[in-house]
Amino acid sequence: MKFGVVVFPGSNCDADCHHAVKNVLGAECDYLWHQDTSVAGYDAIILPGGFSYGDYLRTGAIARFSPIMAAVADFARAGGLVLGICNGFQILLEAGLLPGAMRRNAGLSFRCEFVNVRVENAATPFTSAYQAGQVLRLPIAHGEGNYYADPATLAALEAGRQVVLRYSEPDGRITPAANPNGSLGNVAALVNKEGNVLGMMPHPERSSEAILGSEDGRGILTSMLQYLQRRRAR
């Protein structure tokens, strides 16, 4: 299986993602430049975290116009797996590949810390390695992770089980105190209706090895690889 990690001007987690996929997961992985116009030959695309284009205008607003994003959108419409992490999540929202928007964190502070998230839906290509209700310990590092959607959109996301991860207490309770950024519904990650595009604010690539303080994020990448292997075997 072949993964591609898109590098935008200002990306700073591209090497982390490449390492996690290639050296931890053991899958083939290439860097893709933001000016590339094709993602042909890849089984999964990752938009990494960072500060693409310096976050000018607003996070992800300029990166969505990078030439490669048209190819990523076509790839997603064809059923390809797309994972957006942190700034990658923000880019997916700006590109319209996921619904809603991201606002400044409640309190306007940049938050860099480990948080707990509860797995709300383990029946996706990104979460099948987990159990529903399982609590993960994952790192965040962002100033604009305050997810927002209008009430109708949020209701549709909840009804369609598109909220995949939710900020929680260590015991799995969903409380305001467990929410690090004011995100509506404690949303930490969501998928599109088709289930093949995931955006998440926590960093799975930074929690894929014990030396990093947590291995809980590895399941995201493992789930993707196992899904691709099952799909190829059909």
Side-chain angles (χ1 to χ4, degrees):
M1 299 303 165
K2 193 172 181 180
F3 287 63
V5 177
V6 178
V7 182
F8 298 94
S11 294
N12 66 9
C13 298
D14 43 331
D16 298 345
C17 289
H18 187 276
H19 168 74
V21 171
K22 183 176 182 179
N23 299 320
V24 179
L25 194 63
E28 189 175 355
C29 188
D30 292 331
Y31 291 112
L32 299 170
W33 185 230
H34 74 112
Q35 291 184 322
D36 292 344
T37 56
S38 173
V39 296
Y42 291 90
D43 299 295
I45 301 298
I46 298 177
L47 307 185
F51 303 90
S52 59
Y53 294 91
D55 283 350
Y56 287 114
L57 185 59
R58 61 181 179 273
T59 55
I62 299 177
R64 64 161 292 196
F65 293 108
S66 287
I68 199 169
M69 286 308 298
V72 171
D74 289 342
F75 180 79
R77 281 192 286 270
L81 291 188
V82 178
L83 169 62
I85 303 167
C86 197
N87 187 223
F89 186 6
Q90 295 159 343
I91 295 170
L92 291 175
L93 292 169
E94 289 287 339
L97 292 175
L98 290 172
M102 211 61 83
R103 304 187 297 186
R104 294 284 303 277
N105 290 349
L108 305 182
S109 296
F110 188 94
R111 302 291 296 264
C112 182
E113 61 198 69
F114 272 94
V115 298
N116 299 293
V117 296
R118 190 177 73 188
V119 178
E120 300 294 280
N121 184 350
T124 81
F126 305 92
T127 53
S128 61
Y130 302 116
Q131 300 293 320
Q134 185 176 346
V135 176
L136 313 177
R137 184 172 176 268
L138 304 176
I140 60 168
H142 59 252
E144 298 186 32
N146 184 355
Y147 180 75
Y148 176 81
D150 61 73
T153 299
L154 190 61
L157 289 172
E158 297 285 3
R161 302 185 66 210
Q162 291 175 246
V163 178
V164 173
L165 301 176
R166 214 182 293 272
Y167 298 111
S168 77
E169 301 288 349
D171 61 6
R173 289 178 297 118
I174 305 300
T175 67
N179 188 339
N181 50 37
S183 181
L184 277 185
N186 283 40
V187 170
L190 58 88
V191 289
N192 62 345
K193 285 183 180 178
E194 293 75 18
N196 65 305
V197 178
L198 174 76
M200 60 186 296
M201 290 311 295
H203 288 262
E205 82 282 7
R206 295 187 190 173
S207 49
S208 58
E209 299 174 274
I211 195 172
L212 299 175
S214 174
E215 299 177 273
D216 288 356
R218 188 189 304 172
I220 298 289
L221 301 174
T222 300
S223 298
M224 294 174 69
L225 181 61
Q226 292 175 343
Y227 171 84
L228 293 169
Q229 290 171 333
R230 290 194 299 270
R231 189 171 70 175
R232 181 170 290 186
R234 290 173 192 158

